[in-house]
Amino acid sequence: MSQLAKPLIAIAAVITLAVCVHADTLANCTYEDIRGTWVFELGPSYKEGSGENCSPTSEIAVQYKVKVHLDYPDLAVDEFGNQGFWTIIYNQGFEVVVGGSKYFGFSEFKSKTVSICDKVKPGWAHDVLGHDRRCFQGQKQSPAIKLNKRISYASSLRYEQFISSEDMVTRINKAQKSWTATTYPQFDALSRDDFVRMTGGKRSQMLSRPKPAPITEEQEKLRQSLPSSFDWRKVNGQNFVSPVRNQGACGSCYAFASMAMAESRLRILTNNTQKHVFAPQDIVECSPYSQGCEGGFPYLIGGKYGEDFGFVEEKCNLYKGTDAKCSTEKSCARNYVTDYKYVGGYYGACNEVAMMEAIYNRGPVAIGFMVYNDFTRYQSGVYHHVFDSENHPFEPFELTNHAVLVVGWGEVTSPSYERYWIVKNSWGETWGMDGYFWIRRGNDECGMESMAVESTPIVRFD
Ligand SMILES: *[C@@H]1O[C@H](CO)[C@@H](O)[C@H](O)[C@H]1NC(C)=O
Ligand SMILES: *[C@@H]1O[C@H](CO)[C@@H](O)[C@H](O)[C@H]1NC(C)=O
């Protein structure tokens, strides 16, 4: 039907593409909403593997209380004066590590319109070694309740329907020279409603956009010591990145990006002698820290789930791309990670140089960024978002969030000088450049330098 760069495997009318969303988590709680003094109420201890677990709907029989003060920028202090760490997780919840215990929960909200930021839903508490596990709930000692703004999708959708895929590709390719767009029949086969649903539709709002931290003088010096281009697929003639996969019509990108980070970092740690491919379906079905095909966050999966539960090989739960009861083979070995964090240390401390340092010294990082409709048409070159709402009244599915793996960086000099990131997507090998894309580096394009996540796999020998 059009000038395709590569043959596309035609799986008749099967939707082969989805971006990720965060449904069911409609809180919009920012740093200042969370910062302050909290009381955490803890329930009884339960055994790992006992079938007991917490969930945001758990009833907690309070056994004891802990008072914690969360201060700038990432300092947590308990009632005994012990100092620890905290970070918000996007605008959905927060994690605190103090006095030898870790606490994580999602912020409370009421319908779509009210964020109850002074309350954490029942969440997960355990000592840092994972021996003593309990549910907890939290109440801030000063009020932080606010109304969410309403985001309307109606007008943009109408405009979207008006322009065809070919038109959009033509406009993108006319408007600029840094990247090339193409049509993908996968999208054209979709009804508008399906596309909206896949991108999370009306529930996929990304309610606020964080900014990267300013680059310090020290970081500028660090930049000079790093190569001008670097790619984990080509280090001393070796490829340390696992093959590109396809998430299908399930908002599981966060699981794919998280698995891909662990797979690549294990290849790096073992000089390519351990080439695992982990099971995103285990995350989709079994993780209490994410919402299955409705979305999730790399911090909580590539980090926290990897530390608390571990990852299993693909064969232990083959990818299906649908929500289901947890069916992971129980006898499968779990592969754990540790030292998970937002690049830079905490949410709000990430930037270009911090990401380069992490990638170069420890391996690929998982990131979240905003997917606009033009991105889905990407074929090659250095992507930047082409249309803005002032000149072109289409920001169709603005504010959906997609997670991917950054494996390196580079620069081009033509048509003009540009720095870029090299990024592995999970939309199959027929999308973009063999499943990869380049995107502008250094200006937080689509929010991608604001929330990179990393963790360290624990190598298993058996
Ligand atoms: C989310 O909260 C921030 C900070 O309070 C605010 O600026 C932003 O407009 C909010 N977004 C929505 C959609 O309510
Ligand atoms: C890593 O593997 C490569 C290729 O097999 C080999 O040439 C190299 O010596 C190994 N490096 C180390 C440190 O073992």
Side-chain angles (χ1 to χ4, degrees):
M1 54 180 276
S2 59
Q3 76 300 1
L4 280 171
K6 308 173 193 91
L8 282 151
I9 306 155
I11 310 165
V14 170
I15 300 157
T16 57
L17 197 65
V19 292
C20 275
V21 298
H22 311 126
D24 299 326
T25 47
L26 298 161
N28 176 34
C29 300
T30 54
Y31 185 88
E32 288 301 334
D33 297 326
I34 302 299
R35 185 180 168 188
T37 302
W38 288 77
V39 172
F40 295 158
E41 300 179 326
L42 286 94
S45 188
Y46 63 85
K47 283 265 169 308
E48 193 198 349
S50 64
E52 284 183 84
N53 204 338
C54 297
S55 86
T57 53
S58 296
E59 288 285 333
I60 298 180
V62 180
Q63 281 196 340
Y64 69 95
K65 298 182 183 191
V66 179
K67 195 176 200 177
V68 182
H69 185 68
L70 307 180
D71 211 344
Y72 184 81
D74 62 343
L75 179 66
V77 185
D78 70 12
E79 62 204 79
F80 307 109
N82 296 310
Q83 297 198 347
F85 158 88
W86 74 286
T87 182
I88 53 170
I89 297 160
Y90 189 50
N91 59 2
Q92 301 293 311
F94 60 97
E95 185 166 61
V96 177
V97 187
V98 70
S101 284
K102 273 191 187 188
Y103 307 85
F104 157 69
F106 289 109
S107 294
E108 185 62 89
F109 57 86
K110 205 179 221 165
S111 73
K112 280 181 198 176
T113 48
V114 186
S115 295
I116 306 180
C117 301
D118 52 13
K119 238 187 158 95
V120 217
K121 289 172 186 282
W124 297 264
H126 60 78
D127 66 80
V128 291
L129 301 178
H131 296 310
D132 183 33
R133 295 168 185 266
R134 296 163 190 268
C135 296
F136 85 104
Q137 58 201 9
Q139 178 75 54
K140 194 180 173 188
Q141 302 303 288
S142 49
I145 297 175
K146 61 190 207 186
L147 292 178
N148 296 337
K149 276 189 226 144
R150 281 172 181 252
I151 298 174
S152 160
Y153 285 78
S155 57
S156 56
L157 286 183
R158 228 175 291 126
Y159 188 81
E160 263 298 281
Q161 276 159 350
F162 180 64
I163 75 162
S164 71
S165 180
E166 276 84 2
D167 270 359
M168 191 196 300
V169 166
T170 310
R171 277 163 177 248
I172 293 169
N173 290 337
K174 240 191 215 147
Q176 49 81 45
K177 293 271 168 285
S178 358
W179 64 282
T180 310
T182 189
T183 54
Y184 287 102
Q186 293 105 306
F187 294 110
D188 298 340
L190 295 178
S191 72
R192 271 300 139 208
D193 282 356
D194 277 348
F195 199 87
V196 174
R197 213 169 289 130
M198 266 172 34
T199 58
K202 295 182 180 71
R203 299 204 299 168
S204 72
Q205 292 114 331
M206 215 177 166
L207 294 177
S208 74
R209 189 168 166 158
K211 286 204 170 38
I215 291 174
T216 63
E217 255 176 60
E218 210 175 304
Q219 284 180 321
E220 277 305 343
K221 268 191 222 138
L222 177 61
R223 184 204 293 278
Q224 306 305 319
S225 72
L226 294 167
S228 60
S229 68
F230 184 75
D231 185 346
W232 274 113
R233 293 173 302 173
K234 293 166 206 154
V235 175
N236 301 326
Q238 282 205 78
N239 177 6
F240 292 93
V241 185
S242 50
V244 168
R245 302 190 61 180
N246 193 337
Q247 72 190 72
C250 166
S252 53
C253 59
Y254 66 94
F256 279 89
S258 298
M259 306 290 94
M261 174 165 65
E263 290 160 6
S264 181
R265 286 181 168 223
L266 272 169
R267 281 164 165 74
I268 294 164
L269 286 169
T270 64
N271 193 23
N272 256 338
T273 61
Q274 290 202 12
K275 297 188 175 181
H276 297 269
V277 173
F278 294 129
Q281 190 66 28
D282 172 67
I283 308 297
V284 168
E285 293 178 1
C286 314
S287 165
Y289 302 153
S290 50
Q291 290 82 45
C293 283
E294 299 294 327
F297 296 93
Y299 182 93
L300 295 175
I301 299 307
K304 192 169 178 66
Y305 185 84
E307 184 172 284
D308 292 354
F309 299 96
F311 308 135
V312 294
E313 299 289 339
E314 172 68 13
K315 67 173 185 322
C316 301
N317 195 342
L318 297 178
Y319 190 64
K320 295 158 206 83
T322 49
D323 288 311
K325 251 191 19 244
C326 183
S327 68
T328 299
E329 177 55 50
K330 291 262 184 319
S331 61
C332 280
R334 314 290 307 192
N335 297 267
Y336 296 92
V337 306
T338 190
D339 282 340
Y340 60 91
K341 56 174 175 286
Y342 282 109
V343 171
Y346 55 92
Y347 190 81
C350 187
N351 64 31
E352 179 197 359
V353 180
M355 284 171 65
M356 290 166 74
E357 188 277 329
I359 294 166
Y360 187 75
N361 288 320
R362 292 177 296 286
V365 299
I367 61 132
F369 75 114
M370 220 91 76
V371 164
Y372 298 90
N373 218 1
D374 60 357
F375 175 78
T376 62
R377 267 62 181 190
Y378 173 89
Q379 182 179 33
S380 62
V382 180
Y383 172 80
H384 64 277
H385 178 42
V386 172
F387 295 102
D388 65 74
S389 48
E390 270 168 290
N391 306 328
H392 302 271
F394 84 93
E395 285 287 311
F397 308 111
E398 186 190 7
L399 315 177
T400 52
N401 193 29
H402 186 44
V404 287
L405 187 76
V406 185
V407 304
W409 65 81
E411 47 189 48
V412 288
T413 48
S414 113
S416 58
Y417 175 81
E418 248 176 327
R419 308 203 295 276
Y420 63 83
W421 297 109
I422 304 166
V423 191
K424 183 189 182 189
N425 200 352
S426 49
W427 291 350
E429 283 179 349
T430 54
W431 183 89
M433 300 187 290
D434 301 320
Y436 283 76
F437 64 97
W438 293 351
I439 185 169
R440 258 186 198 168
R441 169 166 62 100
N443 70 338
D444 193 31
E445 184 66 38
C446 299
M448 72 161 292
E449 283 155 15
S450 60
M451 45 177 148
V453 166
E454 66 171 323
S455 63
T456 306
I458 295 169
V459 181
R460 220 164 34 84
F461 299 98
D462 55 27

